[in-house]
């Protein structure tokens, strides 16, 4: 079944175009400095950054539902991966541990995709992702302070690293600082040259590396850290003994990657107009990581920077990403060893630029949240602090938890109990009465989503029983409530029905959907209310309410011999 689905998917893929081949080549060239840089800030062998742009990118592009999305190593995933391995007490340089982590992340992504839980990303708010992204940017800059200055800070805390480096200026390496500043300067100048702006990172890398090699600049190079072979990535079997220590971390890294991919699907629509699918992208990234994990790749996800490069270079279909992976294999086979002469301050300078670009790109969101949404601002700042102060795999979980809490708080705050009053033109909304009228009908309307947190607000505004004796009816219109109200809300309705019954009144639910009827029947709420007090919804929005209102009028006439007061509603 799965094989036939894959074959159908392959047959639907359009034929490659020359523009995609060119775009793939540009993306592959860009992947050399960026992939190595991201692996470096995570404390991994820079070569693994190259491997992360090969098979993982090829497989991810082949099956992604966001056609132009490029799946590869990102800064957030690199830092998260290093944090997960270190917290688990595992060596981040052990290829078996890396392979196990990558495959585990892929398995989590694949399962989430197959279960179609793409909607989970709706619960990670924009404010939280803004705080997380800015925190990641600060982490990126802090992670390359040693490469840029030649002084390696001993502290691990992100903020303290800046303080320590600034306190040891006399120990900085002049050559490292000059090379890093030269890299940033070349990149900055190229931003004003429109024809080559998209290749500014690549040109800065090549130009400054060439100058450093000619002048014999005394700086650390990629070759001092790792040997880059002119060969394909070796097959690596995951270390299965590491799996139990990586489960939670794998889920957190998957969440980071999926959140980034969700942003890409919103920003880069499919050229053919087809609809993207978060769950489909989850599955594609999962397959990419499972395959890449056996061939030296670090965990990967949707890369906004690499996708942007592909689009600006003329990508027209998913074949651009497929070509990017294939081209990188060819480039490494032909001239992989040449990457060994790249000075680490060049990579550090480029990462400085990337870090500040990330902050700049999110700055409008930061100011918007701070100006307009106090609660969201708290979530953003809290996530930023968590990202810079605790391991990243926990920071993203903290952010997701904050998002859920904020959602509940906002829902509870927006919940209102209103009264519906009928006039000659229909039903009108008013504030509910403080006290229920005797011998009358009161129609209540609840505007909310029926979370347990909203119940106290309902109780506070629920009208008190009539002060005078008499029959009365309360109709609660539930037409807009979810099919399965919370257990807390059901308990409240049961209590209110009993209290009204003791006072001579009657509680009716109007506009009840068939699914809600099934739910409250299983919970025995229908028995507590009485079947006659549960009025089903109809095609018309107020059809169930009109039926309940007419029944309430008849009941009052039959029990008291009098109709409802003309002034009640």
């Amino acid at each position: 079944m799965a094989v036939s689905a894959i074959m159908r998917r392959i047959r639907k893929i359009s034929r490659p175009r020359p523009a995609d081949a060119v775009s793939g080549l540009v993306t592959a060239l860009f992947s050399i400095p960026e992939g190595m840089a991201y692996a470096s800030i995570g404390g991994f062998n820079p070569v693994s950054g190259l491997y992360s742009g090969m098979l993982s990118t090829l497989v991810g592009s082949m099956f992604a539902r966001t056609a132009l999305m490029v799946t590869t190593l990102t800064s957030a995933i690199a830092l998260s991966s290093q944090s997960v391995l270190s917290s688990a007490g595992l060596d981040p340089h052990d290829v078996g541990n890396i392979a196990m982590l990558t495959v585990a992340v892929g398995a989590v992504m694949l399962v989430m995709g197959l279960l179609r839980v793409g909607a989970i990303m709706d619960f990670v708010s924009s404010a939280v992702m803004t705080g997380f992204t800015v925190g990641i940017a600060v982490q990126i800059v802090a992670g390359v302070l040693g490469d840029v200055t030649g002084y390696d800070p001993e502290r691990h805390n992100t903020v303290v690293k800046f303080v320590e480096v600034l306190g040891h200026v006399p120990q900085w390496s002049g050559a490292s600082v000059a090379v890093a500043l030269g890299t940033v300067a070349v990149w900055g100048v190229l931003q004003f040259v429109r024809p080559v702006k998209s290749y500014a990172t690549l040109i800065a890398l090549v130009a400054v590396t060439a100058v450093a090699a000619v002048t014999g600049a005394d700086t650390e190079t990629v070759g001092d850290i790792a040997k880059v072979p002119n060969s394909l990535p070796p097959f690596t079997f995951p270390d299965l003994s590491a799996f139990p220590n990586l489960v939670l971390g794998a889920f957190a890294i998957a969440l980071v990657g999926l959140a980034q991919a969700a942003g890409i699907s919103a920003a880069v629509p499919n050229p053919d107009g087809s609809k993207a699918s978060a769950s489909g992208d989850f599955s594609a990234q999962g397959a990419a990581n499972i395959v890449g994990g056996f061939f030296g790749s670090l965990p990967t996800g949707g890369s906004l920077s690499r996708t942007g490069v592909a689009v600006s270079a003329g990508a027209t279909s998913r074949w651009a990403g497929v070509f990017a992976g294939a081209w990188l294999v060819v480039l490494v086979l032909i001239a992989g060893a040449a990457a060994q002469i790249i000075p680490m301050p060049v990579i550090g300078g480029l990462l400085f630029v990337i870090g500040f670009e990330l902050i700049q790109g999110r700055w409008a969101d930061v100011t918007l949240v701070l100006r307009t949404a106090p609660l969201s601002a708290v979530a953003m700042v809290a996530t930023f602090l968590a990202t810079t102060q605790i391991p990243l795999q926990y920071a993203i979980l903290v952010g997701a938890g904050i998002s859920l809490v904020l959602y509940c708080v906002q829902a509870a705050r927006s919940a209102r109990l209103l009264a519906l009053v009928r006039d000659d033109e229909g039903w009108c909304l008013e504030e509910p009465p403080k006290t229920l009228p005797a011998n009358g009908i009161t129609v209540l309307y609840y505007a909310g989503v029926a979370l347990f947190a909203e119940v106290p607000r309902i109780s506070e505004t629920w009208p008190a029983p009539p002060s005078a004796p008499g029959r009365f009816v309360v109709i609660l219109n539930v037409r807009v409530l979810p099919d399965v109200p919370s257990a807390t809300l059901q308990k409240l309705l049961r209590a209110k029905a009993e209290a009204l019954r003791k006072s001579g009144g009657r509680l009716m639910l109007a506009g009840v959907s068939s699914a809600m009827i099934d739910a409250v029947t299983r919970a025995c709420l229908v028995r507590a209310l009485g079947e006659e007090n549960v009025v089903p919804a109809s095609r018309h929005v107020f059809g169930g309410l009109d039926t309940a209102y007419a029944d309430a009028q008849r009941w009052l006439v039959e029990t008291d011999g009098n109709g409802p007061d003309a002034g009640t509603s």
Side-chain angles (χ1 to χ4, degrees):
M1 188 72 177
V3 174
S4 61
I6 292 174
M7 293 305 298
R8 286 196 302 271
R9 182 67 180 161
I10 292 175
R11 283 195 292 269
K12 289 182 180 180
I13 297 175
S14 60
R15 292 182 178 181
R17 300 177 181 177
D20 291 320
V22 175
S23 173
L25 176 59
V26 173
T27 305
L29 289 169
F30 187 85
S31 295
I32 295 173
E34 190 171 85
M36 296 177 70
Y38 286 159
S40 178
I41 65 167
F44 298 102
N45 187 330
V47 178
S48 60
L50 294 178
Y51 293 160
S52 300
M54 295 180 179
L55 291 180
S56 294
T57 299
L58 193 155
V59 173
S61 293
M62 182 67 73
F63 297 105
R65 294 293 296 274
T66 301
L68 301 183
M69 182 175 70
V70 177
T71 300
T72 188
L73 180 64
T74 69
S75 56
I77 293 178
L79 288 167
S80 300
S81 300
Q82 194 276 338
S83 182
V84 167
L85 290 170
S86 297
S87 297
L90 299 173
D91 183 3
H93 296 96
D94 187 297
V95 292
N97 292 337
I98 294 174
M100 187 68 259
L101 177 62
T102 304
V103 171
V105 170
V108 172
M109 289 178 166
L110 184 60
V111 169
M112 293 176 72
L114 294 177
L115 293 178
R116 299 186 180 279
V117 293
I120 190 175
M121 299 317 305
D122 294 338
F123 291 94
V124 182
S125 69
S126 174
V128 165
M129 284 310 301
T130 297
F132 185 74
T133 302
V134 174
I136 285 292
V138 174
Q139 286 253 40
I140 289 173
V141 175
V144 296
L145 287 174
D147 293 328
V148 170
T149 65
Y151 173 83
D152 287 317
E154 297 178 357
R155 305 296 181 87
H156 296 289
N157 184 281
T158 301
V159 176
V160 177
K161 281 183 179 180
F162 288 97
V163 177
E164 182 183 349
V165 169
L166 290 174
H168 293 79
V169 174
Q171 299 179 39
W172 289 12
S173 166
S176 296
V177 173
V179 170
L181 289 177
T183 304
V184 175
V186 172
W187 179 90
V189 170
L190 293 175
Q191 296 304 300
F192 298 98
V193 184
R194 183 177 295 273
V196 297
K197 182 179 179 179
S198 299
Y199 316 114
T201 300
L202 181 63
I203 295 173
L205 170 80
V206 174
V208 180
T209 296
V211 172
V214 171
T215 59
D218 185 17
T219 62
E220 187 177 44
T221 65
V222 170
D224 295 327
I225 299 175
K227 181 180 179 181
V228 183
N230 290 344
S231 62
L232 295 174
F235 179 84
T236 304
F237 195 80
D239 184 354
L240 299 178
S241 64
F243 179 73
N245 298 318
L246 298 174
V247 175
L248 180 60
F251 176 80
I253 295 172
L255 194 61
V256 171
L258 299 176
Q260 292 179 315
I264 295 172
S265 63
V268 185
N270 290 337
D272 61 359
S274 61
K275 186 178 180 181
S277 165
S279 296
D281 287 338
F282 286 9
S283 298
Q285 292 173 83
N289 277 293
I290 290 175
V291 173
F294 288 93
F295 295 94
S297 173
L298 288 162
T300 58
S303 169
L304 184 58
S305 62
R306 224 71 63 89
T307 302
V309 169
V311 171
S312 65
T316 64
S317 72
R318 66 183 66 254
W319 280 104
V322 174
F323 276 120
W327 275 120
L328 189 56
V329 170
V330 174
L331 290 171
V332 169
L333 285 174
I334 296 174
Q340 294 179 170
I341 68 171
I342 300 173
M344 291 305 297
V346 169
I347 294 179
L350 293 176
L351 283 170
F352 248 69
V353 169
I354 291 170
F356 283 109
E357 277 193 314
L358 284 173
I359 295 175
Q360 182 184 21
R362 284 286 188 171
W363 195 248
D365 295 332
V366 171
T367 55
L368 178 64
V369 171
L370 292 175
R371 291 174 180 172
T372 61
L375 278 178
S376 295
V378 172
M380 180 179 67
V381 172
T383 306
F384 170 78
L385 293 175
T387 304
T388 57
Q389 300 299 317
I390 65 176
L392 286 175
Q393 72 270 24
Y394 302 132
I396 188 61
L397 295 177
V398 168
I402 292 174
S403 292
L404 288 173
V405 171
L406 280 181
Y407 174 75
C408 294
V409 171
Q410 293 281 22
R413 289 179 60 180
S414 63
R416 296 184 64 196
L417 191 65
L418 300 170
L420 283 172
V421 180
R422 190 163 68 172
D423 59 18
D424 294 338
E425 297 183 1
W427 294 98
C428 304
L429 287 173
E430 292 185 359
E431 290 297 322
K434 299 293 184 183
T435 304
L436 295 171
N439 299 313
I441 302 172
T442 301
V443 180
L444 298 177
Y445 169 79
Y446 176 60
V449 294
L451 287 173
F452 63 89
E454 302 172 68
V455 170
R457 196 174 181 88
I458 304 174
S459 298
E460 291 174 4
T461 54
W462 191 280
S467 54
R471 296 291 183 180
F472 60 96
V473 179
V474 176
I475 302 175
L476 180 62
N477 185 34
V478 296
R479 186 69 171 80
V480 297
L481 285 182
D483 291 338
V484 184
S486 68
T488 309
L489 178 61
Q490 293 190 49
K491 288 176 63 177
L492 174 70
L493 294 178
R494 189 190 303 269
K496 293 298 181 184
E498 183 63 26
L500 293 178
R501 188 179 297 113
K502 290 180 179 179
S503 300
R506 176 183 178 188
L507 175 63
M508 302 179 70
L509 301 183
V512 188
S513 67
S514 57
M516 183 185 290
I517 290 177
D518 292 340
V520 296
T521 299
R522 291 193 299 270
C524 299
L525 180 60
V526 172
R527 184 185 305 173
L529 293 175
E531 291 187 10
E532 69 281 4
N533 292 321
V534 179
V535 182
S538 69
R539 288 181 57 249
H540 301 285
V541 176
F542 291 106
L545 177 57
D546 290 335
T547 301
Y549 193 84
D551 183 64
Q553 287 180 311
R554 286 193 298 270
W555 182 76
L556 288 175
V557 171
E558 292 171 358
T559 54
D560 287 346
N562 299 303
D565 294 345
T568 62
S569 57

